[in-house]
Amino acid sequence: YLTFNSRDALKEALQLDGVVVRDRKMHVDVASPDQIERISEKKCVPAEMEGPFVAFVNKLSTTLSEEDVRKAFTTKHLPAEALLTVKIAQKEGSPITFGFLTFDSKLSLEESLQLNGKMLGGRRILITIAAPPKAKQPPVDKDTPSSSAVASSTPQPLPPKGA
């Protein structure tokens, strides 16, 4: 998403809708207030959020190691010790790799979101706050009066707002 300083600059950008750049058709349109709100929400860690503080990183290159990702997330404002764990996975049959990064604090998680859209391993990465792990219901045993929920160990990406 881009922000323009004038209506003339916006009108000029809208003229680029449908132009092909590097063999890809570009889509340019005006964002709705709802889209802008969703983008803003993904850049801020909710005040009421409690640990674990996990970021979901999508569009990672398959050539990246966990150490490569760890180095990329070590910045002036995000020291190496703030990143507690890096877990990388790949969707079966897909060239897209994703990861879950666990941070030591809300502040570190929020700082990691600043890297959203940056190039890493030749790809522009997408970073959002991961949803807390979903509770899984164990199979119901007819002989047991009640069952307790068991938490999944893998966080999930947050669904889009309104979904």
Side-chain angles (χ1 to χ4, degrees), residues 11-140:
K11 287 178 185 176
E12 195 172 315
L14 290 171
Q15 297 298 316
L16 298 173
D17 187 37
V19 170
V20 176
V21 178
R22 294 184 183 171
D23 299 324
R24 298 186 84 173
K25 190 174 182 180
M26 191 167 37
H27 177 71
V28 182
D29 202 353
V30 177
S32 70
D34 185 50
Q35 290 170 316
I36 294 168
E37 182 180 324
R38 281 193 309 241
I39 294 164
S40 299
E41 286 175 359
K42 289 182 181 180
K43 291 184 180 177
C44 296
V45 178
E48 67 278 359
M49 184 177 185
E50 295 181 18
F53 305 104
V54 183
F56 174 71
V57 184
N58 202 0
K59 308 244 184 205
L60 291 170
S61 170
T62 56
T63 62
L64 293 173
S65 68
E66 289 183 359
E67 187 58 31
D68 294 330
V69 173
R70 186 175 289 281
K71 286 179 185 174
F73 278 81
T74 300
T75 67
K76 182 171 103 174
H77 300 292
L78 192 59
E81 55 273 7
L83 182 52
L84 303 177
T85 63
V86 176
K87 292 181 183 178
I88 295 179
Q90 186 173 6
K91 295 176 187 172
E92 193 172 318
S94 171
I96 302 299
T97 302
F98 59 92
F100 291 98
L101 312 179
T102 306
F103 294 92
D104 65 347
S105 67
K106 286 181 201 177
L107 185 61
S108 297
L109 174 58
E110 197 162 81
E111 188 62 36
S112 77
L113 297 176
Q114 302 306 310
L115 298 173
N116 185 43
K118 300 291 184 199
M119 295 297 289
L120 178 60
R123 290 194 176 164
R124 191 168 307 282
I125 59 172
L126 303 174
I127 307 168
T128 58
I129 300 168
K134 292 181 180 177
K136 289 186 178 179
Q137 296 292 329
V140 177

